Amino acid sequence: MTSIGGAEMVDWNLAVATATRLVRPGPEVSKDEARAIVAELRRHAKASEEHVRGFTRMIPESHQPEDTPVLVVDRAGWIKANVAGFRELLKPLLEKMQDRRSSGPGGAMLGAVGGKVTGVELGMLLSFLASRVLGQYETFAPASRELPAGSNGGGRLLLVAPNIVHVERELEVDPHDFRLWVCLHEETHRTQFTGVPWLRDHLQAEIQAFLGETEMDPMTVLERLREAAQSLAGARPEGERDDSGRSIVELVQTPAQREILGRLTAVMSLLEGHADYVMDGVGPAVVPSVAEIREKFQQRRARGASRLDQALRKLLGLDAKLRQYRDGERFVRAVVDEVGMDGFNRVWTSPNTLPTKAEIAKPADWVARVHRKADS
């Protein structure tokens, strides 16, 4: 546990306890219904493997990728898994902030305030997110007895059953079709990381480089967490402005980080857009109501929720994630239309064949760089 001045910077256990206590209860289902939903999600996750691999052709039939577990969890389970992941990923940043504890008032203030305040505020944010995530492939998941993961330090697929049920009811779509549709998206992420051996290490190196370049003082971290938590609680001081609407990610950028963030944005746009493209491509053959589901789901994304929800999305950078789905899907569709699925799959050859942020917006430039150079 990283600490400043003898006090823990983040009380991770308190973050879990706070988020678990504050998260809204899921939709009402009987025990028998819950067991049936869990069983169906597991069946759909298994079936999705074959559907996704057949459509994407990313994994040769002779190749056996690393097996990573599929876990159907409730909101509390998602919280525990993500706190463990955050704790692992944020180690370099927290260690750097510890080294700066004596430089300026930020370190002294955090040492006085302690990790309990930060833990509570992080817990409040996680409680907000825990009711919104349908599924997630945890790339850097540390294994535990309660939450197993793949070998070599990570990999597990989480399906958040209460959230899936909530959305299928809200959209009034066929629940069996919707559950399979969600599994197709998340299985695509699983296939991306198990089928491309270098991708996990590359992404981890980029994230660690981004965190390693952070020049933000410890007090700013606390202020950003408090601002987000106050927004969630409706406790923002009257008349306080929102710092030009910048997200937490945007506030920590140095010039070096802007370059790294550009590359990360491109990769995440590719991964999210590819998953959207695949689930819609597979959908017509195995999800009879896929057109209705996609239309209603897109309307839900575009509509958003309350002003509070929109403010938090902006602060946490989640609005950028929605753009990644849209921009990435357009990139994948344009490339596949131009050079076919096998031609698109050259994107997975090495880090050098990943699209740049500019190429995500102009797919023809990626085709020209990767294909015409390789074929000339």
Side-chain angles (χ1 to χ4, degrees), residues 1-44:
M1 185 73 73
T2 305
S3 63
I4 288 182
E8 295 175 350
M9 279 190 62
V10 180
D11 188 328
W12 298 103
N13 292 332
L14 185 57
V16 170
T18 301
T20 303
R21 185 176 70 253
L22 294 179
V23 71
R24 291 179 295 179
E28 290 188 12
V29 295
S30 68
K31 288 184 179 180
D32 288 343
E33 283 180 300
R35 281 193 289 266
I37 291 165
V38 169
E40 183 176 17
L41 285 171
R42 286 177 177 155
R43 288 196 305 271
H44 285 332

Side-chain angles (χ1 to χ4, degrees), residues 287-296:
V287 183
S289 60
V290 64
E292 178 193 2
I293 291 173
R294 164 55 74 188
E295 181 181 0
K296 289 184 174 180

Side-chain angles (χ1 to χ4, degrees), residues 185 189 268 272 317-326:
H185 181 102
H189 287 316
M268 297 311 297
E272 296 293 358
L318 299 181
D319 53 344
K321 185 175 178 65
L322 296 181
R323 288 195 298 273
Q324 288 168 7
Y325 286 111
R326 183 184 64 244

Side-chain angles (χ1 to χ4, degrees), residues 257-330:
Q257 280 181 306
R258 280 192 288 273
E259 291 186 20
I260 300 169
L261 189 62
R263 296 194 298 268
L264 279 171
T265 299
V267 174
M268 297 311 297
S269 296
L270 170 69
L271 299 181
E272 296 293 358
H274 183 234
D276 264 14
Y277 178 82
V278 170
M279 73 178 180
D280 285 347
V282 174
V286 297
V287 183
S289 60
V290 64
E292 178 193 2
I293 291 173
R294 164 55 74 188
E295 181 181 0
K296 289 184 174 180
F297 197 76
Q298 290 286 57
Q299 289 173 354
R300 183 179 186 270
R301 275 183 181 171
R303 185 171 63 247
S306 63
R307 288 182 61 190
L308 169 62
D309 186 86
Q310 292 170 357
L312 275 168
R313 282 182 179 279
K314 189 171 188 67
L315 182 62
L316 298 173
L318 299 181
D319 53 344
K321 185 175 178 65
L322 296 181
R323 288 195 298 273
Q324 288 168 7
Y325 286 111
R326 183 184 64 244
D327 297 344
E329 196 273 342
R330 278 201 298 254

Side-chain angles (χ1 to χ4, degrees), residues 104-254:
M109 179 63 73
L110 261 182
V113 172
K116 293 196 179 299
V117 171
T118 312
V120 167
E121 291 172 341
L122 178 59
M124 292 177 71
L125 296 181
L126 287 169
S127 73
F128 168 80
L129 296 171
S131 62
R132 285 156 174 77
V133 176
L134 302 182
Q136 174 184 0
Y137 185 75
E138 279 202 295
T139 316
F140 313 111
S144 67
R145 180 179 300 178
E146 187 177 359
L147 293 164
S151 57
N152 301 319
R156 62 182 165 227
L157 178 59
L158 304 179
L159 297 169
V160 190
N163 298 348
I164 294 172
V165 172
H166 171 78
V167 174
E168 70 192 27
R169 290 180 179 179
E170 177 188 332
L171 298 182
E172 297 181 334
V173 293
D174 183 281
H176 310 293
D177 284 3
F178 184 75
R179 293 165 196 173
L180 176 55
W181 189 71
V182 170
C183 287
L184 290 170
H185 181 102
E186 302 308 332
E187 175 57 35
T188 303
H189 287 316
R190 187 167 176 246
T191 298
Q192 289 163 349
F193 283 96
T194 57
V196 184
W198 54 264
L199 184 58
R200 178 187 181 276
D201 289 343
H202 172 72
L203 194 58
Q204 184 175 36
E206 292 279 59
I207 292 171
Q208 298 299 357
F210 179 87
L211 294 175
E213 287 289 335
T214 297
E215 296 298 335
M216 185 169 55
D217 66 90
M219 195 59 208
T220 304
V221 175
L222 187 61
E223 288 171 353
R224 293 294 92 189
L225 282 172
R226 179 168 293 117
E227 180 176 329
Q230 287 176 341
S231 295
L232 182 60
R236 191 181 191 82
E238 186 176 354
E240 184 178 325
R241 303 183 67 178
D242 71 347
D243 208 351
S244 303
R246 291 181 293 173
S247 73
I248 289 176
V249 170
E250 292 170 321
L251 286 168
V252 302
Q253 289 180 64
T254 64

